[in-house]
Amino acid sequence: MIRTFVAVDIPAAFHAKISAIQSKFIGPGLRPVDPSIVHITMKFLGDVDEAQLPGIITALDRMDCPSFDSRISGVGAFPGMKNPRVVWLGADGDYSCLHGQLESLLSETGFKKEPRKFIPHATLARITYLSNPRKKELISAIDSLRDLDVGLMRVNTVKLKKSTLTPQGPIYETLHEVDLP
């Protein structure tokens, strides 16, 4: 079994900006994501048998969505600011075709459609535990970054990735890449 997901990578040109953003709030109780692997998860597939990979790849190769621009901006938290568990970087753009086709094509190979509304974002940090004073500091830092503009990127590739979890953080390997016209 291999842990897999479909993603859009954040360009390397944004990694230094992401690191600078993370420096505003990283501290006790937060596990930052290495800026070099920050991405927008389009669909988490979970643990799949290697025998399923050809079917997944065939489904991905059937995608027919045009490439588009995405504005990477704004910092927020899931599930909300009262009890943040994940700090994210926003992604604005027309992800609807991409997300819709992924859900449809992958459901044909046995993956359940995600019932929650898709909100394009890149995870910056996961929160393990925050004292009330630390939570207030984090919320203040996030509020100060709410309107931050990182830049415009072109979404022209979607990748099937393997995730290997280690004590030092996840290691990602691209298993398949699909170019969007």
Side-chain angles (χ1 to χ4, degrees), residues 148-166:
L148 177 80
D149 183 32
V150 175
L152 193 65
M153 69 178 224
R154 188 79 181 156
V155 177
N156 54 13
T157 306
V158 179
K159 297 178 180 181
L160 174 64
K161 293 189 175 249
K162 172 183 174 182
S163 172
T164 304
L165 302 178
T166 74

Side-chain angles (χ1 to χ4, degrees), residues 1-6 43-54 56-57 106 109-111 160-163 175:
M1 299 294 272
I2 57 174
R3 184 178 169 92
T4 59
F5 62 96
V6 180
K43 181 151 182 79
F44 181 71
L45 303 177
D47 291 326
V48 300
D49 190 303
E50 286 192 50
Q52 290 179 273
L53 289 178
I56 294 168
I57 289 168
L106 290 170
T109 65
F111 292 94
L160 174 64
K161 293 189 175 249
K162 172 183 174 182
S163 172
L175 301 175

Side-chain angles (χ1 to χ4, degrees), residues 8-34:
V8 170
D9 282 339
I10 299 294
F14 292 177
H15 295 173
K17 290 180 182 179
I18 289 169
S19 183
I21 293 165
Q22 290 173 322
S23 72
K24 306 271 190 222
F25 56 77
I26 294 302
L30 283 106
R31 281 192 339 253
V33 175
D34 182 326

Side-chain angles (χ1 to χ4, degrees), residues 117-135:
K117 181 182 187 307
F118 178 69
I119 300 171
H121 69 281
T123 299
L124 295 177
R126 287 182 172 68
I127 299 166
T128 54
Y129 170 79
L130 294 177
S131 63
N132 280 334
R134 180 74 180 109
K135 187 187 293 187

Side-chain angles (χ1 to χ4, degrees), residues 159-181:
K159 297 178 180 181
L160 174 64
K161 293 189 175 249
K162 172 183 174 182
S163 172
T164 304
L165 302 178
T166 74
Q168 295 76 33
I171 297 170
Y172 299 146
E173 175 187 343
T174 299
L175 301 175
H176 187 67
E177 204 169 303
V178 177
D179 292 328
L180 305 177

